[in-house]
Amino acid sequence: MHKLIRTLGLAMMATAIAGCGLVYTPDVQQGNLLDKKNVDQLQPGMTKRQVLVLLGTPSVISPFDQDRWDYVSTFSHRGKPMVRRTLTLTFNNDTLVRTEGDFFAQDAEQLLKDSKKYKANPTGDAEGDKNTSGKKDDDDGGFGVGVHGSSDDSPASKK
């Protein structure tokens, strides 16, 4: 009986804590995240292939209307209502004729900036460990035979 009361008490406390918002809820971004400079390059007369290369695969292609592509993005922030962004492209005979939507409101641009800080580039802007400048290194790196002949400290030279 004592175990049952303790279990019920813990369950009620867990429910109360979850209801107060003390439990961590992560931000969730789903769908397409388009770059404004790519969307600005859209022009009437472009083919579906050109749009596909520029923007990527759309979120929704209706099976009943092959001439309409929808790029949709949703963002849920803790404690705030879900924000939905859409960009609709209309084609006529494989040619872009119209774009409409509210994809690039101020919040979407901030989301693009925030998303860039999560992309990792372990070498930064460095070229890595390969020498592509065309200059030859005279340093052998401390491993046996160097560029200019054998090393005096190598085991083969002591025999």
Side-chain angles (χ1 to χ4, degrees), residues 60-108:
V60 180
I61 299 176
S62 172
F64 304 108
D65 186 7
Q66 296 291 320
D67 290 332
R68 176 182 168 152
W69 287 2
D70 291 302
Y71 291 86
V72 181
S73 175
T74 59
F75 182 70
S76 298
H77 188 67
R78 295 182 295 267
K80 295 182 181 177
M82 183 185 310
V83 177
R84 181 177 297 128
R85 305 273 184 233
T86 60
L87 177 67
T88 302
L89 305 179
T90 307
F91 296 89
N92 187 9
N93 294 331
D94 197 36
T95 303
L96 181 65
V97 292
R98 183 177 48 190
T99 62
E100 56 189 50
D102 63 346
F103 202 88
F104 288 103
Q106 186 65 24
D107 294 337

Side-chain angles (χ1 to χ4, degrees), residues 95-143:
T95 303
L96 181 65
V97 292
R98 183 177 48 190
T99 62
E100 56 189 50
D102 63 346
F103 202 88
F104 288 103
Q106 186 65 24
D107 294 337
E109 290 181 18
Q110 183 63 35
L111 182 61
L112 277 171
K113 289 178 186 174
D114 291 344
S115 71
K116 289 181 182 176
K117 65 184 173 184
Y118 297 113
K119 292 184 181 177
N121 187 2
T123 60
D125 290 332
E127 295 179 17
D129 62 349
K130 293 186 179 180
N131 183 3
T132 58
S133 65
K135 298 178 184 176
K136 293 186 178 183
D137 290 336
D138 289 338
D139 183 22
D140 68 350
F143 293 107

Side-chain angles (χ1 to χ4, degrees), residues 14-28:
T15 304
I17 289 173
C20 292
L22 296 176
V23 176
Y24 176 73
T25 307
D27 295 340
V28 178

